[in-house]
Amino acid sequence: MPAFTLYGFHGSTNSDRVRLTLAEGGFTDYELVLVNLHKGEQKPQTKPLGKDPCYHFPEGFTLYESRAICKYLAKKYSFPLLPPDSDVEAVALFDQAQSTETLYFAEPAGKIAFEKFVKRFLGLPCNDAVVSDAVRSIEVFFDVAERLLQQNEYMAGNNLTLVDIYYIPLIQRLFACGYGDFILGREAVSAWWDRCVNRPAIRRILAANKETTAATKN
């Protein structure tokens, strides 16, 4: 029996965040159950509030919200993706970087992804005003990140952490929406991105996603 079940949705940036964490941690003893949210397959009794993804342990422990799941898994299975609790300064920098990603990157990037990517599949019109505001916020964010990454190799210091993994799915979505220059147009940010996506475990997940997407289209 696998250690736990991960309920997710193909194409979900939230699901991919957890899958990338597990891959980087070298953990494979789990069952991945993909549901179709568009068909209403999420089950509140299994996935509180219908959230994607959802972690379910055989003993009954259930957790949702992708960042909470990632952090729990990293702690439970000792993935080398968190600073040691004994290094209070490193922990503080991690917490700072995590808040920065959530507040100043994920929010506007998520708006772009929804307007330019999700709405296209739903047959809904894009709200260009929302996209323009989000683009301005992302430009400012990556200007700041460029200066930070001139000093550090990763977002929370010189080691890859969960924070770097948190960025990957939404940045992939920005590339798909035609906003790759956010990354490639900044030398330090581009170098950071290369360091992240060229890690073998991360590269495997991203390649598998491409194969699944191609198969779905066919």
Side-chain angles (χ1 to χ4, degrees), residues 125-167:
C126 172
N127 187 324
D128 292 331
V130 170
V131 173
S132 295
D133 287 344
V135 165
R136 285 193 290 270
S137 295
I138 290 287
E139 289 281 5
V140 171
F141 169 79
F142 276 118
D143 284 344
V144 174
E146 175 71 9
R147 295 193 291 273
L148 170 70
L149 291 167
Q150 288 171 353
Q151 307 299 320
N152 300 322
E153 291 193 357
Y154 294 98
M155 289 293 186
N158 288 318
N159 296 306
L160 180 91
T161 68
L162 286 177
V163 172
D164 302 287
I165 290 175
Y166 293 165
Y167 281 94

Side-chain angles (χ1 to χ4, degrees), residues 170-201:
L170 270 176
I171 288 182
Q172 287 282 105
R173 191 58 50 84
L174 290 176
F175 271 100
C177 293
Y179 293 99
D181 281 350
F182 285 151
I183 308 300
L184 303 181
R186 295 170 172 83
E187 184 176 356
V189 172
S190 181
W192 161 77
W193 178 245
D194 285 342
R195 284 192 289 273
C196 291
V197 296
N198 284 315
R199 296 177 69 88

